[in-house]
Amino acid sequence: MTLVLTELPEAVQEAVARTRERVAALHAELPRNGLVVWTAGNVSERVPRPSAGVPSADAPDAPELFVIKPSGVSYDDLSPETMVVCTLDGEKIADGTPAALSPSSDTAAHAYVYRHMGEVGGVVHTHSTYATAWAARGEEIPCVLTMMADEFGGPIPVGPLAVIGDDSIGQGIVETLRDSRSRAVLMRNHGPFTIGRDARDAVKAAVMCEEVARTVHVSRQLGEPLEVPEALVDSLFERYQNVYGQR
């Protein structure tokens, strides 16, 4: 039976509306940072549940949902109202968008990540040039920059070759990142996927993934880059994740 958004508790409807606004706005960061062309790429975010701030009395049985970009729609035409709402099975609910408006072709991958990584609140996929070039070679990006140690806690790993259409890509993402500190994975012959505590965090990881992919590529044109010692990687990661910035 298809869920109907307007029949869900008001607290859930409000959480969905706020999530749609965030996800729509964050899609603008992908072309702004040169991470996508045409309609490629997507951002999704898990809708907060009662335990994450929605009063449980208002939504005792709130379904698990996430918001994602519609498939093949121009970035210029995206708005909160066009963001598609799905269950964690990857099924679109009756969210007020036209029935013919399908969610991203990567929806099954995003849904699999949300089902199997409860700490993940946002997922991003791009075909950004340099990160995708590393993915085409099936080669991880070595941790040769303190920026990489800060952001990813080590190298950016490569995931398996998986074909779009089912949750195979999601399985590869989860298998690769489950025991890694990296918030980015280069799916072989495909491109980068990033995760985060929310969609903004995952978008930041996508921007940083492309930046280090480009820098390390340029470095290799000059010679063999020097890896950051593992002990220093650990201390840099700890400082950046827990001390750096405003808390």
Side-chain angles (χ1 to χ4, degrees):
M1 181 176 177
T2 302
L3 289 174
V4 179
L5 181 59
T6 56
E7 295 177 359
L8 296 177
E10 184 177 348
V12 174
Q13 295 184 50
E14 292 174 352
V16 167
R18 290 191 296 269
T19 305
R20 279 175 142 172
E21 290 177 359
R22 287 192 298 272
V23 173
L26 283 166
H27 273 95
E29 295 297 332
L30 303 188
R32 181 179 294 132
N33 286 278
L35 304 184
V36 295
V37 296
W38 205 238
T39 63
N42 40 74
V43 177
S44 74
E45 184 171 82
R46 191 193 295 263
V47 176
R49 302 197 69 203
S51 60
V54 179
S56 58
D58 294 340
D61 299 310
E64 292 191 275
L65 304 170
F66 69 98
V67 171
I68 194 167
K69 173 183 177 287
S71 178
V73 175
S74 169
Y75 281 83
D76 292 335
D77 295 330
L78 296 181
S79 68
E81 293 73 29
T82 61
M83 294 296 106
V84 181
V85 185
C86 296
T87 67
L88 294 201
D89 291 325
E91 298 298 321
K92 178 183 175 181
I93 73 169
D95 59 4
T97 62
L101 189 69
S102 301
S104 165
S105 56
D106 290 303
T107 295
H110 290 240
Y112 189 92
V113 172
Y114 290 129
R115 290 199 306 272
H116 292 86
M117 300 181 80
E119 73 280 11
V120 171
V123 179
V124 172
H125 172 47
T126 78
H127 294 161
S128 59
T129 303
Y130 285 90
T132 302
W134 286 87
R137 294 198 302 266
E139 183 179 358
E140 73 173 20
I141 305 175
C143 188
V144 297
L145 303 167
T146 58
M147 177 189 291
M148 288 189 69
D150 289 343
E151 190 71 35
F152 300 105
I156 296 177
V158 175
L161 173 62
V163 180
I164 228 172
D166 58 22
D167 60 14
S168 299
I169 292 174
Q171 292 179 41
I173 295 168
V174 171
E175 290 168 4
T176 306
L177 294 184
R178 178 173 280 148
D179 297 319
S180 174
R181 293 191 297 201
S182 176
R183 292 182 298 121
V185 55
L186 308 175
M187 294 301 289
R188 186 164 74 85
N189 299 107
H190 188 170
F193 282 79
T194 58
I195 59 175
R197 60 182 175 273
D198 54 27
R200 181 178 178 80
D201 193 37
V203 169
K204 179 195 175 190
V207 173
M208 300 300 284
C209 177
E210 178 64 5
E211 174 65 14
V212 300
R214 181 178 65 87
T215 303
V216 178
H217 171 78
V218 171
S219 175
R220 278 192 164 183
Q221 311 315 300
L222 304 174
E224 190 61 29
L226 305 175
E227 293 199 21
V228 179
E230 187 173 345
L232 182 55
V233 171
D234 292 341
S235 64
L236 289 168
F237 183 75
E238 171 66 22
R239 179 200 65 86
Y240 187 75
Q241 299 298 322
N242 299 304
V243 177
Y244 174 81
Q246 304 301 314
R247 298 293 168 182

